[in-house]
């Protein structure tokens, strides 16, 4: 391959929702993009699988919203909360004026399906390489990021690619964030969670369920409906709290399902489809610096998970939109100043900041059982 062919406007590291969406937005603006993904699609991602109204809004902007009906999904119209004392509360999602009630405000789509859907759409628009592991960044003499190096995991060939910008969309353990010495997300802004798939759980409605169960306070247990009578079940807790309390999340998940008065009957005749798996979510209650000389971070790499709901896909896709706008302005105006790069953080936080602050406040309220009982009551 001749070396000039290995240079792009933008290299995106990671093909999840943040990466695939960044690639699509940039392609729509006419830029050459290389999207690198270390796994082979379709691949699983451990998650609650909820696709919020915010995500649907981004799909609309990309022009692929209607296609979501063609992939495996469940529609959700609202939210069920339960308090530690067991009171239930159902809240329908707000319907925007003139939308009528027919339109779901959200979906639940298994990430093995959703991420593949986004990646395949990106693949139609940009150059992609799967099973390519980025191990390091390329820097010039001014410490500007000018590309990536890594390995094709199939051929074991080492390769380098260059670009005007590199986007780190490579998740909670981002190589791009690590290699640029981005400040680590502290333990009390990381969430640890489990996920298991079940079939035929009783009493499932077209709502996502969030249950504030005593044993995992301040955290929660969830049941989200999926297609074919399946559902996504799991629980999450802030890492520092889990460590303090010495909770084993896998054991605790099993215990809540088997013994909790709200759930044991519902799960009695249900079929467990997978093992309980764990993962980490970096919360947006901690503000990382999301840009530097020649690079940006989006999605989980940017620590944008909602600190109350645990939802990350919507904010990942939103960060992708903002990063594509900044890159567009930079390249068009031939302006690579810190001043313009910093606009990415500023505009993104202007959009998602108020919601993050509210969620962080709710997470703190969630530390007080009496307060949760009171609010849900």
């Amino acid at each position: 391959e001749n070396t000039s062919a290995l240079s792009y406007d933008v290299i995106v590291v990671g093909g999840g929702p943040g990466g695939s969406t960044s690639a699509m937005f940039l392609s729509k603006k006419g830029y050459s993009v290389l999207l690198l993904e270390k796994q082979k699609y379709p691949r699983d991602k451990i998650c609650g699988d909820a696709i919020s109204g915010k995500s649907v809004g981004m799909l609309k902007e990309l022009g692929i919203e209607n296609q979501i009906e063609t992939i495996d999904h469940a529609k959700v119209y609202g939210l069920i909360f339960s308090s530690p004392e067991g009171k239930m509360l159902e809240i329908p999602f707000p319907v925007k004026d003139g939308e009528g009630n027919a339109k779901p405000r959200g979906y639940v789509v298994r990430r093995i399906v959703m991420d593949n859907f986004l990646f395949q759409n990106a693949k139609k628009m940009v150059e992609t390489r799967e099973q390519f592991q980025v191990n390091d960044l390329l820097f010039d003499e001014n410490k500007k990021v000018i590309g990536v190096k890594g390995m094709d995991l199939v051929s074991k060939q080492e390769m380098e690619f260059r670009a005007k910008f590199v986007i780190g969309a490579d998740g909670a353990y981002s190589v791009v964030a690590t290699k640029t010495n981005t400040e680590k997300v502290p333990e009390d802004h990381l969430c640890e969670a489990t996920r298991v798939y079940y079939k035929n759980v009783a009493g499932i409605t077209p709502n996502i369920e969030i249950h504030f169960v005593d044993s995992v306070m301040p955290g929660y247990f969830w049941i989200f409906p999926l297609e074919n009578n399946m559902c996504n079940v799991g629980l999450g807790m802030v890492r520092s709290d889990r460590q303090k309390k010495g909770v084993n999340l896998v054991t605790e998940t099993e215990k809540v399902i088997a013994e909790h008065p709200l759930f044991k009957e519902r799960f009695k005749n249900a079929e467990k489809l997978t093992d309980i798996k764990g993962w980490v979510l970096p919360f947006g209650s901690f503000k990382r610096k999301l840009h530097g000389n020649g690079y940006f971070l989006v999605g989980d790499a940017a620590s944008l998970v909602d600190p109350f709901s645990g939802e990350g896909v919507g904010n990942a896709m939103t960060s992708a939109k903002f990063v594509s706008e900044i890159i567009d302005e930079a390249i068009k105006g031939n302006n690579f100043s810190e001043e313009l790069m910093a606009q990415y953080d500023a505009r993104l936080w202007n959009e998602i900041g108020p919601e993050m602050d509210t969620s962080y406040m709710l997470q703190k309220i969630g530390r007080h059982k009496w307060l949760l009982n009171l609010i849900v009551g």
Side-chain angles (χ1 to χ4, degrees):
E1 295 178 65
N2 79 30
T3 46
S4 62
L6 299 178
S7 190
Y8 302 84
D9 290 320
V10 184
I11 292 168
V12 182
V13 182
S20 292
T21 303
S22 297
M24 284 188 270
F25 275 124
L26 286 161
S27 173
K28 280 183 173 299
K29 295 181 194 301
Y31 295 105
S32 66
V33 180
L34 174 63
L35 178 57
L36 299 169
E37 164 59 46
K38 74 165 185 260
Q39 286 175 281
K40 184 164 173 53
Y41 271 92
R43 58 99 180 102
D44 190 22
K45 164 77 172 75
I46 305 166
C47 175
D49 297 336
I51 307 298
S52 63
K54 189 189 282 187
S55 308
V56 176
M58 288 295 129
L59 293 172
K60 201 180 245 158
E61 286 195 38
L62 290 166
I64 56 177
E65 178 205 10
N66 296 333
Q67 292 178 35
I68 203 164
E69 298 282 336
T70 67
I71 61 176
D72 285 338
H73 68 278
K75 296 179 176 68
V76 284
Y77 296 88
L79 186 64
I80 290 172
F81 277 126
S82 78
S83 66
E85 63 186 5
K87 272 217 176 82
M88 293 283 207
L89 170 67
E90 188 175 342
I91 308 172
F93 292 141
V95 173
K96 294 200 181 81
D97 297 338
E99 255 183 34
N101 279 319
K103 215 168 165 52
R105 296 304 301 142
Y107 295 88
V108 188
V109 183
R110 287 173 296 129
R111 289 283 298 276
I112 191 168
V113 175
M114 186 67 193
D115 290 16
N116 189 46
F117 165 69
L118 291 170
F119 186 80
Q120 299 309 334
N121 270 290
K123 205 171 176 173
K124 291 174 198 159
M125 299 166 74
V126 306
E127 191 183 323
T128 56
R129 276 179 185 265
E130 290 170 74
Q131 293 175 288
F132 187 88
Q133 165 91 48
V134 171
N135 298 319
D136 209 346
L137 300 176
L138 302 173
F139 296 90
D140 70 6
E141 59 284 356
N142 304 317
K143 297 211 165 58
K144 179 182 192 288
V145 176
I146 53 166
V148 302
K149 58 178 167 190
M151 182 189 273
D152 182 308
L153 297 175
V154 180
S155 69
K156 298 287 182 266
Q157 188 188 358
E158 299 217 352
M159 304 175 90
E160 294 187 353
F161 302 103
R162 289 171 184 257
K164 297 182 179 114
F165 289 106
V166 172
I167 295 176
D170 48 346
Y173 302 106
S174 168
V175 173
V176 178
T178 305
K179 296 291 179 183
T180 52
N181 293 322
T182 304
E183 191 184 352
K184 277 197 163 55
V185 179
E187 308 274 274
D188 49 352
H189 296 278
L190 287 173
C191 173
E192 295 182 344
T194 58
R195 181 211 68 189
V196 54
Y197 287 126
Y198 268 88
K199 199 171 170 125
N200 301 328
V201 174
I204 296 289
T205 62
N207 293 290
I208 65 174
E209 301 180 36
I210 289 182
H211 300 286
F212 297 102
V213 169
D214 246 353
S215 56
V216 292
M217 297 271 302
Y220 65 77
F221 175 75
W222 72 80
I223 304 173
F224 293 171
L226 282 162
E227 77 278 6
N228 302 330
N229 281 338
M230 294 192 298
C231 59
N232 178 317
V233 178
L235 51 82
M237 232 178 146
V238 174
R239 174 177 282 179
S240 50
D241 291 310
R242 186 199 61 73
Q243 288 168 337
K244 260 187 246 135
K245 293 193 168 185
V247 176
N248 176 314
L249 289 184
V250 173
T251 316
E252 201 52 53
T253 307
E254 287 169 339
K255 206 169 127 188
V256 171
I257 288 169
E259 297 171 18
H260 194 284
L262 281 181
F263 311 114
K264 62 178 187 198
E265 287 304 309
R266 293 181 63 186
F267 281 89
K268 201 169 68 179
N269 301 311
E271 182 192 347
K272 186 178 171 194
L273 300 175
T274 60
D275 288 337
I276 300 174
K277 294 183 174 154
W279 90 106
V280 171
L281 304 95
F283 280 154
S285 46
F286 176 73
K287 273 193 184 176
R288 291 190 104 156
K289 184 168 179 255
L290 304 183
H291 69 279
N293 207 352
Y295 73 92
F296 296 98
L297 302 173
V298 301
D300 279 7
S303 192
L304 297 179
V305 176
D306 187 287
F308 183 65
S309 70
E311 202 260 340
V313 175
N315 286 340
M317 294 175 82
T318 303
S319 65
K321 178 191 161 180
F322 281 105
V323 89
S324 71
E325 288 169 2
I326 292 291
I327 288 175
D328 186 39
E329 286 172 38
I331 296 176
K332 279 207 178 104
N334 197 23
N335 173 4
F336 301 90
S337 66
E338 162 62 23
E339 209 174 353
L340 179 61
M341 304 301 108
Q343 276 298 304
Y344 166 56
D345 299 44
R347 291 179 203 176
L348 176 61
W349 280 102
N350 189 40
E351 172 81 17
I352 67 172
E355 197 179 79
M356 288 284 202
D357 293 343
T358 305
S359 286
Y360 193 38
M361 184 185 74
L362 287 169
Q363 187 205 99
K364 287 180 178 149
I365 287 174
R367 298 177 176 277
H368 308 288
K369 198 156 75 173
W370 63 272
L371 213 45
L372 267 179
N373 285 333
L374 185 76
I375 289 170
V376 176

